[in-house]
Amino acid sequence: MEEFAVEGHLCLPEGDSHAAFWFIGASSPCELRLLQPQTLLTRLPKVRHLEVALIGFLGELTPENEREPDPKADDLPLGCKSAPLPDDPDTRVTLRVIKGTLQDAVATELKVSDTPEEEAAENPDEPPMLPTPQPKVPPTMAIIAHPQLHRYFSDFYPAIAWLVENNVPTVIVGPSDPDPSWKQDEVLLKAFGCDVVLPKRLNPYPMCLPNNPKVRKCNHIIGFRGGKIIPKDKVTRTKIDLLAKDYNVR
């Protein structure tokens, strides 16, 4: 959000106390292990309702182009939980864990309903839960970590199209360096029709080994917001054009 603001794109309007972050293409080894809502809130002092949605857990393709399931897919805490912070009852955190694509999510769990907020069931062994809140749609920001666009170009098209059409500030987080993402993801996003407002740059908050900062994960970021998405029937033609320019995409 800070990097977007520097470029003149404010993601959270002044006075907005409800922030929503959607992690698209989430996986159990990464996002669930690193999820720390209270850390996010330290950078958002005026937010009183932090909503985090983890969307994905669909596994990945092997080198043989076969789908390998997410290793923890059957153990996911699916659904929605919302509760106040233990040390700050006026601040609320809502977590949604959704197995599926972004299109699945906005048609189900992330669909704004006309009905009142649903009361949560009481469980004496857990902290008190608040009524299930309506999702904030579109979100404050979307994050796509390590999307491997060169491998999943067609798979990501529907999600990127929705984000572009809804003008959602979206950040692509590149993996380790070297990686095809640094060389070509900005080009692939522009080929989709994304308006890249945050050109590729080193991530100011990478994951590094304590004794060797040169070993970096989440190496770089690229941000887009809005644009003019290409028609679905042009995706294959776009891939052929990219291949003709020696970009790696399938």
Side-chain angles (χ1 to χ4, degrees):
M1 287 178 63
E2 295 164 346
E3 296 289 320
F4 272 84
V6 169
E7 298 294 337
H9 293 268
L10 297 179
C11 303
L12 189 66
E14 188 174 354
D16 194 343
S17 62
H18 182 183
F21 297 91
W22 294 2
F23 290 81
I24 300 168
S27 65
S28 59
C30 184
E31 280 80 2
L32 280 181
R33 180 164 53 88
L34 299 175
L35 184 64
Q36 298 177 355
Q38 287 173 290
T39 301
L40 290 173
L41 283 166
T42 62
R43 307 302 295 267
L44 301 165
K46 295 184 179 180
V47 168
R48 290 294 170 262
H49 182 190
L50 174 64
E51 180 184 339
V52 176
L54 305 180
I55 307 160
F57 308 102
L58 296 175
E60 61 181 348
L61 294 176
T62 66
E64 293 75 32
N65 215 34
E66 296 179 354
R67 179 68 62 175
E68 186 174 274
D70 187 293
K72 299 289 186 180
D74 294 334
D75 302 322
L76 293 172
L78 298 175
C80 176
K81 292 188 176 182
S82 189
L85 292 180
D87 56 350
D88 184 0
D90 293 328
T91 301
R92 172 184 194 172
V93 174
T94 298
L95 173 64
R96 288 182 167 87
V97 179
I98 303 165
K99 183 181 179 183
T101 65
L102 176 60
Q103 292 64 50
D104 298 330
V106 295
T108 54
E109 286 95 330
L110 295 176
K111 183 178 181 180
V112 178
S113 172
D114 294 330
T115 59
E117 293 186 349
E118 187 178 317
E119 290 290 336
E122 291 287 338
N123 186 337
D125 299 324
E126 294 185 358
M129 302 299 290
L130 297 172
T132 302
Q134 294 275 20
K136 184 182 179 73
V137 183
T140 306
M141 174 172 279
I143 299 96
I144 309 177
H146 309 179
Q148 300 187 73
L149 291 179
H150 62 289
R151 299 185 67 196
Y152 300 99
F153 190 83
S154 298
D155 299 77
F156 266 107
Y157 171 81
I160 289 177
W162 190 93
L163 295 167
V164 167
E165 290 163 359
N166 286 276
N167 203 40
V168 178
T170 303
V171 62
I172 302 291
V173 183
S176 306
D177 184 43
D179 182 86
S181 173
W182 176 261
K183 176 185 176 183
Q184 63 178 42
D185 271 8
E186 187 173 339
V187 175
L188 300 189
L189 290 170
K190 290 179 179 178
F192 274 128
C194 302
D195 184 3
V196 175
V197 298
L198 197 68
K200 67 178 181 182
R201 62 193 63 186
L202 292 177
N203 186 354
Y205 308 108
M207 296 170 58
C208 300
L209 288 178
N211 57 352
N212 189 352
K214 293 184 179 180
V215 179
R216 300 163 54 97
K217 285 191 174 182
C218 300
N219 177 66
H220 57 277
I221 57 174
I222 306 166
F224 67 87
R225 186 176 195 176
K228 187 177 180 180
I229 199 73
I230 60 172
K232 185 177 181 180
D233 60 5
K234 300 293 185 184
V235 172
T236 300
R237 178 73 258 175
T238 300
K239 289 165 67 173
I240 293 171
D241 292 343
L242 288 165
L243 288 167
K245 296 175 182 176
D246 292 327
Y247 290 106
N248 178 14
V249 62
R250 62 175 178 175

